[in-house]
Amino acid sequence: MGKQTRLINEFGKVFDDAIVRFHRFGSFSSRYGDDNNLLYVEELGWVSAISDQKLMQITLSFDPRFVSDEALSTAGSLLLEAPYVKLGLRYGTNGQFYEEYKEPLLACMRLMSVAGLEKGAGRKDRYVAVAKDPFSLSFDASDASARFLPILESWRENSGVFTETATNVMRHQGLLDRAVFIEPDVGYTEPKFTHIGSDIGVYGPDWPYIAVGHRIHQQPDPDYGEWIRKAYEVILHSGLPQYEHVDACMTLDNGSRCRNRYRCLRLPWRTPDGQKLLTGMSIMTPDVEIALSCPEGFRI
C-alpha cells in the first residue's frame, strides 16, 4: 500500500484518498469522489494527513492560527490508528516548522499544545466531534456499532434509496426513536425537520413534536443548532455517510446546562421519486473518544 492523502475539514470530517490538486498552507483545493460525485473544497483551517503504510510514517500539516478543535481531535485520532514508527508535524504560517516523534501520545500532546499556544490556553469549545470511518462499524464490537451497522448496510445495498425497508431496519434496531429526518429541498428556506424521535428529549419531552417543521438551527441552544446544521450540510454536498463521536455542552431553555456524549450515524438518502432526505441516528454513551475541556457548570 502506497501513500494516502487525507484532508480533515474544520468540522473534523475526513476525506479519504483525496487527490490534492493544489496545496498552499492553510488552504486546500482538492477533488474527491468519482466524476459524477465531486466535492471541491478551498478552506482555511484544514489539516492534511499524508501517510505511507509501507514506510510506517504519517505527517500532519496545519496552520495553528486557523485550525479548529474538531480538526485537531480527528487529526489526533489518525496519529493513534496505526503503528507508525515516524510521526511528523509540520506547522507555522508557511509550514516552516517540522518536528518528528516516535510515540503517538507525545505527538498528540504536541499537536494540541501548538494550537493551544497560538489560540491561548484553556480551549473551551462547547461542541466537539471526532469523525470515524463509517465502515469501521463492521469491526467494532460495541453495542452502538451493532445497532448502526444494519442501517448502514441497508443504505449501501439500496444505493442510498430510502424505502420502507430502511424505516423497518431503524425500528428493529431501536433507532427510529433516536432518529431525525431532515428534508433539505424546501425551496428558498433552510433544511427542516420532518421527524424527531420521541426519545430525543434533551430539550424536554415536548420538543420532538414542537420542532417538526422547524429549521435545523431553530433549537433552544441556537449555537448547537447551527453546529448541527453545518454537519448535515457536509453530507448533503458530499453524498457520503458520517459516523462520529460527539461531546456537546448545551444550554437549555430554562438556563440550565447539560453535557451529552453520543455516537451518531448520519446518512444521505433519496426517495424513489428523487427527493433528497437526510437522516441522523444517535446513541447516548459516555464511551466516546473526545479531547474536550468543557466549560464549568455543565452536568453530564
Side-chain angles (χ1 to χ4, degrees):
M1 185 175 183
K3 286 186 177 180
Q4 179 185 29
T5 297
R6 286 171 284 187
L7 300 179
I8 306 169
N9 74 3
E10 61 181 307
F11 308 118
K13 309 301 183 296
V14 180
F15 300 97
D16 289 319
D17 300 319
I19 304 170
V20 181
R21 302 174 64 194
F22 174 72
H23 175 185
R24 185 180 64 230
F25 229 81
S27 179
F28 299 94
S29 179
S30 66
R31 171 180 172 177
Y32 177 78
D34 57 33
D35 290 337
N36 297 317
N37 182 25
L38 298 182
L39 174 66
Y40 290 92
V41 293
E42 188 173 0
E43 297 287 347
L44 290 173
W46 287 49
V47 176
S48 74
I50 301 177
S51 57
D52 191 320
Q53 298 295 336
K54 184 177 181 181
L55 298 178
M56 299 177 67
Q57 65 184 34
I58 184 171
T59 299
L60 301 182
S61 299
F62 62 100
D63 187 331
R65 297 174 301 167
F66 305 114
V67 66
S68 68
D69 285 276
E70 290 89 343
L72 287 172
S73 294
T74 301
S77 70
L78 294 184
L79 294 176
L80 301 169
E81 73 174 10
Y84 298 112
V85 298
K86 186 185 295 184
L87 303 103
L89 302 178
R90 187 176 299 282
Y91 61 93
T93 55
N94 295 300
Q96 67 268 39
F97 302 111
Y98 178 77
E99 301 172 2
E100 243 176 46
Y101 296 86
K102 293 184 178 180
E103 294 293 333
L105 184 58
L106 292 178
C108 284
M109 292 174 64
R110 180 57 177 164
L111 174 71
M112 298 298 178
S113 174
V114 168
L117 289 172
E118 184 68 39
K119 292 188 174 186
R123 303 168 70 83
K124 299 292 186 181
D125 281 15
R126 292 171 54 203
Y127 325 114
V128 172
V130 176
K132 301 290 182 179
D133 180 356
F135 299 103
S136 69
L137 292 169
S138 301
F139 312 104
D140 190 339
S142 69
D143 174 68
S145 295
R147 294 171 64 187
F148 282 145
L149 185 58
I151 189 62
L152 178 63
E153 291 177 338
S154 177
W155 176 85
R156 183 169 51 182
E157 290 168 2
N158 292 284
S159 301
V161 177
F162 191 89
T163 64
E164 187 178 351
T165 300
T167 305
N168 290 337
V169 172
M170 290 183 190
R171 183 179 291 110
H172 184 263
Q173 296 302 120
L175 293 172
L176 194 58
D177 288 340
R178 291 291 314 170
V180 296
F181 292 6
I182 293 168
E183 180 183 319
D185 296 330
V186 286
Y188 295 102
T189 63
E190 296 281 347
K192 66 180 181 181
F193 292 113
T194 58
H195 165 81
I196 300 177
S198 59
D199 195 32
I200 303 179
V202 62
Y203 294 129
D206 295 334
W207 190 76
Y209 310 100
I210 295 172
V212 169
H214 288 193
R215 300 177 186 181
I216 301 175
H217 67 273
Q218 292 177 324
Q219 301 189 25
D221 186 332
D223 294 332
Y224 177 74
E226 177 63 16
W227 187 70
I228 291 295
R229 185 193 68 77
K230 290 178 179 178
Y232 280 103
E233 189 176 77
V234 171
I235 66 168
L236 175 62
H237 292 298
S238 70
L240 300 171
Q242 289 178 0
Y243 175 49
E244 295 183 334
H245 288 194
V246 178
D247 195 347
C249 296
M250 303 161 65
T251 302
L252 309 183
D253 257 345
N254 60 7
S256 64
R257 298 179 291 182
C258 70
R259 184 174 186 176
N260 287 316
R261 290 180 168 186
Y262 58 91
R263 301 186 184 203
C264 182
L265 177 66
R266 301 187 184 98
L267 296 171
W269 303 83
R270 66 183 185 280
T271 62
D273 61 357
Q275 297 298 309
K276 293 180 179 179
L277 175 69
L278 309 178
T279 64
M281 293 147 284
S282 60
I283 297 176
M284 306 298 292
T285 173
D287 180 24
V288 294
E289 297 178 23
I290 295 292
L292 171 64
S293 177
C294 202
E296 293 182 3
F298 287 85
R299 56 180 175 79
I300 295 177

